[in-house]
Amino acid sequence: MTRKKGNRTEGSAYNLPGAREETDGRHFHDDVLAHADYHLTYDNSLKHSNSTNQRGTNFVRHSTRSLFGKFECLQCPWAWTSGKICVEIWFSRNPDRYSTRIHSQKCCKCETYAEPQLDTDSYTTKLVDAFDLWKGLRERKEPNDEFRETPPHHPDRCHGCLVGVCEQSSRKSKNWY
């Protein structure tokens, strides 16, 4: 049984508008609100704020997550899956505000950026898990060894890697659970 969450049906993929290098994640906000047990405000200005220390009222956390999804090139008939779609997250607790940026990948056939299709449940679960941790509502989790087999990540085609924010670009594990 599928149930309605936000503007889409639970378990559905959401096609991001256009084939750009990066996309604002505002269109997922209703789904994030439906998943969270508290109110959140989407605030695009967090991407441009200067963080203070963790005790400061203006502190903004910044992190990245890797999501599973698919890409469909708009220029040629090529499509592929990726387990490393880079999503940047900004979060502030005063009041609870957040913002996200989703990075695209280039098509290996024609080298144009392709449109990502993200699983709504995966996106909202990863975001709300991070917010719960940052709000002190849960403890850190051990990394999950379960994963979906996907083709190798290509840092030269990942916009997140090219700008240095993708988890794969630094090759070091981030402690975000």
Side-chain angles (χ1 to χ4, degrees):
M1 177 178 163
T2 57
R3 78 188 156 144
K4 192 79 168 160
K5 276 187 136 180
N7 293 327
R8 286 167 291 291
T9 304
E10 183 176 318
S12 66
Y14 188 87
N15 293 339
L16 298 177
R20 297 173 285 204
E21 296 167 347
E22 58 191 45
T23 304
D24 182 73
R26 179 182 301 274
H27 50 275
F28 284 108
H29 182 61
D30 289 343
D31 298 298
V32 172
L33 285 178
H35 193 84
D37 293 331
Y38 40 84
H39 181 73
L40 290 160
T41 302
Y42 194 88
D43 183 354
N44 204 35
S45 71
L46 292 177
K47 295 175 189 171
H48 310 290
S49 49
N50 293 324
S51 298
T52 61
N53 64 36
Q54 289 193 15
R55 290 184 178 88
T57 58
N58 295 326
F59 178 69
V60 176
R61 283 188 176 266
H62 175 251
S63 185
T64 59
R65 301 290 185 270
S66 291
L67 289 174
F68 179 83
K70 298 176 183 176
F71 287 90
E72 291 182 18
C73 183
L74 299 175
Q75 298 296 316
C76 70
W78 192 250
W80 67 98
T81 59
S82 175
K84 300 292 181 189
I85 298 176
C86 179
V87 177
E88 284 183 275
I89 307 167
W90 290 263
F91 179 75
S92 174
R93 289 192 59 198
N94 188 19
D96 290 344
R97 300 173 294 139
Y98 79 100
S99 183
T100 61
R101 179 182 300 149
I102 303 161
H103 293 271
S104 296
Q105 294 178 7
K106 288 182 184 177
C107 174
C108 68
K109 300 292 182 190
C110 68
E111 293 296 318
T112 61
Y113 280 102
E115 181 176 339
Q117 299 173 0
L118 299 178
D119 178 77
T120 304
D121 288 339
S122 175
Y123 179 89
T124 57
T125 298
K126 285 216 177 185
L127 259 63
V128 173
D129 276 356
F131 300 155
D132 287 352
L133 176 65
W134 296 340
K135 288 171 65 67
L137 299 176
R138 70 168 181 86
E139 298 293 322
R140 287 193 185 278
K141 296 178 184 176
E142 290 295 319
N144 187 347
D145 291 336
E146 296 177 22
F147 63 93
R148 296 183 204 179
E149 191 72 34
T150 60
H153 188 66
H154 296 280
D156 56 325
R157 292 193 177 95
C158 170
H159 184 259
C161 286
L162 294 173
V163 297
V165 297
C166 181
E167 292 175 346
Q168 296 298 297
S169 65
S170 65
R171 300 283 187 223
K172 64 182 180 180
S173 175
K174 298 221 181 338
N175 226 355
W176 56 267
Y177 284 97

